[in-house]
Amino acid sequence: YEEVVGWYSGWKSSLPASALPLPGVADQLSQALHMMNRSVSGGGPLAGQPGALENVRYMTSREFQAGGVGAQAGQDTGNKNKFATVSEAVKTAAQIPQGFKDLIGRRCEERGIVFRPLPGRWREGKQLYLCGSRQVYLDRNVIFVMEGGSGVWVPTSLNSLLDRAT
């Protein structure tokens, strides 16, 4: 039990104070506290330790009173409604790229770089694309780019591709 509390406190103290109120950080810290609560109260491995339940509940209530995490004790943080309307949620979901190819297309669009498939062109059974002036193909979320006119395909990062696509 002491090790778990030390782990939680250590991780929380390693975060900058400005990051603690951010929704994602607050949700994760809250979930950690709820996990600790469940493990000492619901017959979990720590339930038999004397004082563990009281200590975790005290720490949980102290964290929530201090504003260190985003939800009150006992609340489920996993299904919080983060959007005011359904249309706002749909609009946000439509902006999230659904695959690696979509992500590349979105980043190219942001920089004004043309990203399009080359019709009838394949490499190792994968569609070839033109990214600016560079030929690329994707294999298991890895970008391969043809280096110069040598015909050698080299794996590259998205940022490198975008920097070299002219």
Side-chain angles (χ1 to χ4, degrees), residues 73-91:
Q75 283 184 336
D76 180 14
T77 61
N79 294 323
K80 257 197 284 188
N81 186 2
K82 293 178 173 46
F83 300 103
T85 64
V86 172
S87 64
E88 183 182 342
V90 169
K91 181 179 174 186

Side-chain angles (χ1 to χ4, degrees), residues 89-143:
V90 169
K91 181 179 174 186
T92 302
Q95 294 173 350
I96 299 171
Q98 298 300 312
F100 192 52
K101 180 182 69 125
D102 295 334
L103 174 66
I104 296 169
R106 171 94 29 107
R107 294 290 157 83
C108 286
E109 182 181 328
E110 289 170 0
R111 292 189 181 201
I113 299 170
V114 174
F115 180 73
R116 65 176 179 85
L118 292 171
R121 302 280 314 268
W122 304 87
R123 170 77 180 169
E124 296 182 4
K126 311 290 186 204
Q127 174 72 54
L128 285 182
Y129 297 91
L130 191 63
C131 182
S133 62
R134 310 299 299 251
Q135 289 186 25
V136 300
Y137 74 93
L138 309 174
D139 188 5
R140 292 184 229 148
N141 292 339
V142 176
I143 303 169

Side-chain angles (χ1 to χ4, degrees), residues 60-79:
T60 302
S61 67
R62 190 181 76 207
E63 289 287 325
F64 288 119
Q65 288 171 357
V69 290
Q72 293 299 318
Q75 283 184 336
D76 180 14
T77 61
N79 294 323

